[in-house]
């Protein structure tokens, strides 16, 4: 299929429909409104259903219902709206329901602003709601990757019976880039024999539930969930890295910030600096092992984020004190410039190349 | 090759569409492209702008900080983005609505009476296409044929009848920029 120029948010909608998503429940919020707009226009054409819910909380619980019935379902929002959905996301994780949740992050806390940010990293990667659970978190850095991860996200959700979060920001939602919907191999997925699709009087009813009043049973359920998360840690780590083994300074950044880091790196290379990049694509599971490739006498790892230092914690866990860590971030919707990153790298070099 | 463009004007002057036309054309020609709009409350009646990158290399940051070209359709946009053009870069000014000259002497400045020309063509809304024509004539970033092909993609079939008028506006812009005096380094 030929390339088309699409806004990130529209591309999310197109990718979801391509992946077989037929249900969307959401509540409007900038900067992701083109997603529900697209779904409201396009889902009815393919026999799907769009509902603008009365609130984010209602929307995520509609997702719970559709997912429980075995449907491919998506919701999307931006930071304050995603906060409202956290109770539902915890229930989805507890009841092991597959779905895709898109967060096009904006500045916070509270209502914050509408410009791009990455301030929900902790919330996304540490569970967000109550109860020691994880969602698979994927962070695209361009619109094509956004399409690919949304489509794959539906498969991953079904494979693990777990919510998958696409963590973007206002910039990737609003920008246009060429995208291509390629032919894909069909993945072998387990049958949804757990779904509440009607018994026809032939089997016992399936029950979708996250309530376990017996402590022994709940611990068993938790152990089972943790084993599932461990399997994700083994099998679903995704990372792009560039020149890591050889670099004097390694930049770690994800999503759109990684693109800005790449521009900074090409500027620095022209001046003779040896700078590498680790770009985590999956934020849970986190690509900790990738940081082992960094040489011991590396001057430092610079984490760049549109927040005040959240992924920095994971970088420190990965390095375990082996190499110094530095941080550069802008927040409130301000976007770091390549020049700011260049200057920070030069500072770490301490003048000597 | 990397062309980094800022296009700015009042909301409604068609700056977003201009950017999309250039971006789509770059894609048609097999280049790496990105389009990033300003979004927010400032769009309602205030200034709107978009950042376009057309490159032979993959696009890194889609934010244009050091612009190789700025195209400004109103005065607030000139005030805001005049300094963003790199030395040796290009600045296209809609002289119908902007009564001051550029203060830069290290860039090429082109004054195009785009709104007047659009009015002569019978529709002030094609001023953006006049500016686009002027830009294409000077920069050769993308071919005019690509812009015409992109027109249908950006505006959809319902606007296909407007293509002849828009094409005329493009051509007027190209002619005009050949005639207008350029302040060169």
């Amino acid at each position: 299929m030929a390339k088309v120029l699409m806004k990130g948010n529209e591309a999310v909608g197109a990718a979801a429909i391509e992946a077989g998503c037929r249900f969307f429940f959401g509540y409007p919020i900038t900067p992701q409104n083109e997603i529900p707009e697209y779904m409201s226009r396009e889902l009815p054409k393919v026999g799907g259903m769009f509902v603008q819910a009365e609130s984010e909380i209602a929307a995520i619980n509609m997702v719970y219902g559709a997912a429980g019935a075995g449907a491919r379902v998506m919701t999307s929002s931006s930071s304050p709206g995603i906060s409202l959905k956290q109770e539902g996301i915890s229930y989805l994780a507890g009841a092991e329901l597959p779905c895709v949740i898109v967060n096009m992050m904006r500045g916070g806390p509270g209502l914050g602003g509408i410009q791009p940010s990455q301030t929900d990293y902790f919330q996304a990667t540490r569970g967000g709601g109550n109860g020691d659970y994880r969602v698979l978190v994927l962070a695209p850095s361009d619109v094509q990757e956004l399409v690919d991860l949304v489509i794959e996200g539906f498969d991953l959700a079904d494979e693990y019976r777990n919510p998958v979060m696409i963590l973007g920001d206002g910039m990737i939602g609003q920008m246009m880039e060429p995208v291509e919907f390629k032919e894909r191999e069909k993945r072998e997925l387990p049958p949804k024999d757990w779904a509440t699709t009607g018994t026809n009087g032939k089997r016992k009813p399936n029950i979708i539930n996250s309530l376990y009043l017996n402590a022994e049973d709940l611990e068993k359920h938790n152990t089972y969930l943790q084993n599932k998360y461990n399997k994700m840690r083994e099998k679903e780590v995704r990372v792009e890295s560039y020149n890591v083994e050889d670099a004097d300074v390694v930049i770690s950044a994800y999503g759109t910030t990684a693109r800005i880091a790449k521009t900074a790196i090409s500027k620095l290379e022209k001046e003779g600096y040896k700078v590498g990049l680790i770009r985590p694509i999956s934020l849970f599971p986190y690509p900790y092992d990738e940081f082992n490739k960094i040489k011991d006498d590396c001057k430092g790892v610079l984490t760049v984020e549109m927040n005040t230092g959240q992924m920095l914690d994971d970088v420190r866990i990965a390095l375990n004190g082996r190499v110094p860590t530095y941080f550069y971030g802008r927040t409130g919707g301000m976007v770091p410039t390549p020049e700011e990153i260049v200057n920070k790298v030069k500072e770490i070099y301490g003048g000597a190349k | 090759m990397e062309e980094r463009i800022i296009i700015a004007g009042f909301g409604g002057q068609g700056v977003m569409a201009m950017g999309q036309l250039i971006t789509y054309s770059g894609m048609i020609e097999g280049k790496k492209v990105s389009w990033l709009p300003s979004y927010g409350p400032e769009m309602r009646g205030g200034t709107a702008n978009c950042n376009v990158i057309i490159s032979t290399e993959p696009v890194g940051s889609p934010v244009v900080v050091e612009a190789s070209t700025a195209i400004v359709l109103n005065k607030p946009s000139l005030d805001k983005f005049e300094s963003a053009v790199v030395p040796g870069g290009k600045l296209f000014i809609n002289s119908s609505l902007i009564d001051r000259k550029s203060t830069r002497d290290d860039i090429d400045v082109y004054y195009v009476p785009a709104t007047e020309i659009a009015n002569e063509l019978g529709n002030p809304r094609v001023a953006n296409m006049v500016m686009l024509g002027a830009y294409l004539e000077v920069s050769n970033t993308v071919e005019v044929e690509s812009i015409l092909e992109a027109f249908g993609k950006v505006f959809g079939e319902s606007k296909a009848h407007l293509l002849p008028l828009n094409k005329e506006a493009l051509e007027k812009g190209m002619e005009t920029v050949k005639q207008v005096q350029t302040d060169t380094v």
Side-chain angles (χ1 to χ4, degrees):
Chain A
M1 212 177 127
K3 280 188 178 175
V4 285
L5 194 65
M6 282 188 112
K7 240 187 187 195
N9 284 334
E10 291 174 336
V12 167
I17 289 174
E18 176 79 15
C21 171
R22 291 295 176 270
F23 296 88
F24 181 96
F25 308 108
Y27 188 83
I29 184 170
T30 306
Q32 62 81 56
N33 281 326
E34 293 85 354
I35 302 176
E37 184 190 3
Y38 185 94
M39 293 310 251
S40 67
R41 189 176 66 231
E42 298 299 327
L43 266 179
K45 295 181 192 169
V46 292
M49 180 175 286
F50 167 91
V51 177
Q52 180 171 315
E54 67 269 37
S55 72
E56 286 85 351
I57 299 162
I60 194 70
N61 285 296
M62 291 175 188
V63 169
Y64 186 100
R72 281 204 156 174
V73 54
M74 182 168 83
T75 187
S76 67
S77 192
S78 179
S79 306
I82 293 290
S83 290
L84 286 165
K85 290 183 201 283
Q86 290 301 333
E87 178 195 65
I89 297 172
S90 175
Y91 279 53
L92 284 154
E96 288 196 277
L97 292 177
C99 64
V100 171
I101 300 155
V102 180
N103 182 2
M104 292 298 182
M105 291 181 281
R106 56 187 248 179
L111 269 180
I114 60 172
Q115 302 299 326
S117 92
Q118 297 180 317
T119 45
D120 308 342
Y121 181 92
F122 284 153
Q123 186 195 55
T125 60
R126 268 63 178 166
N130 65 296
D132 209 3
Y133 69 93
R134 301 294 179 119
V135 299
L136 236 153
V137 184
L138 304 170
S141 124
D142 59 51
V143 180
Q144 180 67 57
E145 190 174 54
L146 176 60
V147 163
D148 296 342
L149 290 178
V150 167
I151 293 175
E152 203 180 349
F154 279 98
D155 282 348
L156 290 170
D158 282 349
E159 186 170 337
Y160 290 95
R161 282 189 64 184
N162 206 69
V164 169
M165 181 171 283
I166 305 292
L167 196 66
D169 62 54
M171 198 190 304
I172 199 167
Q174 293 295 323
M175 71 183 291
M176 287 179 112
E177 277 187 314
V179 291
E180 200 176 359
F181 289 85
K182 299 163 203 151
E183 281 289 319
R184 268 156 236 274
E185 258 181 62
K186 275 246 167 201
R187 195 190 277 241
E188 276 293 320
L189 292 170
K192 293 186 174 179
D193 50 14
W194 45 265
T196 52
T197 50
T199 63
N200 287 322
K202 287 177 185 156
R203 60 164 168 82
K204 280 189 179 170
N206 287 333
I207 296 169
I208 306 290
N209 183 29
S210 68
L211 180 69
Y212 294 79
L213 287 174
N214 181 315
E216 278 176 15
D217 290 347
L218 183 52
E219 187 181 46
K220 243 182 243 168
H221 180 54
N222 268 285
T223 307
Y224 166 78
L225 290 178
Q226 291 304 322
N227 286 338
K228 187 167 81 172
Y229 305 147
N230 284 335
K231 198 172 141 202
M232 291 177 192
R233 289 183 176 104
E234 272 168 43
K235 288 181 61 185
E236 305 304 339
V237 170
R238 287 159 173 77
V239 61
E240 177 197 356
S241 44
Y242 169 74
N243 205 15
V244 172
E245 289 88 346
D246 203 31
D248 293 328
V249 172
V250 173
I251 297 176
S252 185
Y254 65 95
T256 51
T257 308
R259 304 174 64 120
I260 301 163
K262 282 181 184 174
T263 302
I265 289 170
S266 65
K267 278 173 187 276
L268 285 159
E269 280 179 338
K270 281 178 195 145
E271 296 180 40
Y273 292 91
K274 278 157 60 176
V275 185
L277 175 73
I278 294 179
R279 177 174 75 88
I281 298 167
S282 58
L283 302 181
F284 179 84
Y286 194 77
Y288 292 110
D289 290 346
E290 199 65 20
F291 291 77
N292 294 337
K293 296 179 184 166
I294 297 171
K295 59 183 184 183
D296 286 340
D297 61 346
C298 176
K299 290 175 195 289
V301 175
L302 172 65
T303 303
V304 185
E305 298 178 77
M306 287 191 276
N307 58 43
T308 54
Q310 298 193 14
M311 185 179 78
L312 177 61
D313 281 12
D314 280 323
V315 172
R316 285 179 174 153
I317 290 168
L319 290 166
N320 201 17
R322 192 168 63 85
V323 171
T325 55
Y326 299 88
F327 179 76
Y328 185 76
R330 297 295 300 269
T331 191
M334 296 301 292
V335 177
T337 66
E339 289 67 29
E340 289 164 6
I341 300 172
V342 164
N343 291 339
K344 190 70 191 176
V345 169
K346 287 181 178 173
E347 208 179 293
I348 295 166
Y349 257 83
K353 254 184 240 176
Chain B
M1 183 284 275
E2 185 173 281
E3 174 79 338
R4 299 179 309 278
I5 314 166
I6 296 172
I7 308 173
F10 286 124
Q13 278 186 308
V15 299
M16 299 298 181
M18 256 174 100
Q20 286 182 11
L21 284 171
I22 299 170
T23 311
Y24 227 118
S25 301
M27 185 183 82
I28 289 168
E29 294 177 13
K31 297 183 176 103
K32 311 288 185 203
V33 300
S34 71
W35 175 90
L36 178 71
S38 63
Y39 65 93
E42 79 274 12
M43 284 170 77
R44 296 193 191 99
T47 58
N49 72 80
C50 64
N51 294 177
V52 172
I53 298 179
I54 311 285
S55 180
T56 46
E57 302 299 317
V59 177
S61 172
V63 182
V64 175
V65 184
E66 298 167 320
S68 46
T69 296
I71 304 171
V72 294
L73 275 74
N74 67 356
K75 192 148 175 279
S77 300
L78 175 64
D79 296 342
K80 192 169 176 188
F81 295 113
E82 186 177 17
S83 60
V85 181
V86 293
K90 298 178 181 68
L91 174 62
F92 294 81
I93 293 176
N94 177 10
S95 56
S96 305
L97 298 184
I98 302 171
D99 56 9
R100 79 166 172 91
K101 298 279 178 191
S102 169
T103 55
R104 296 279 300 268
D105 57 6
D106 57 346
I107 58 175
D108 294 336
V109 184
Y110 303 87
Y111 297 92
V112 183
T115 307
E116 285 161 52
I117 293 170
N119 281 333
E120 282 164 23
L121 291 171
N123 191 338
R125 292 175 67 183
V126 295
N128 61 340
M129 298 301 281
V130 177
M131 290 303 283
L132 180 57
Y135 167 71
L136 292 177
E137 176 65 27
V138 174
S139 73
N140 297 309
T141 304
V142 292
E143 301 292 329
V144 176
E145 289 71 36
S146 308
I147 295 280
L148 299 176
E149 191 184 333
F151 189 87
K153 311 268 188 191
V154 172
F155 294 103
E157 279 169 33
S158 64
K159 300 280 164 57
H161 65 284
L162 293 172
L163 182 60
L165 172 66
N166 280 273
K167 190 177 172 207
E168 206 185 340
L170 262 183
E171 285 162 355
K172 277 278 181 205
M174 297 172 89
E175 281 167 32
T176 307
V177 82
K178 280 189 230 174
Q179 293 159 11
V180 294
Q181 196 175 355
T182 67
D183 297 341
T184 312
V185 183

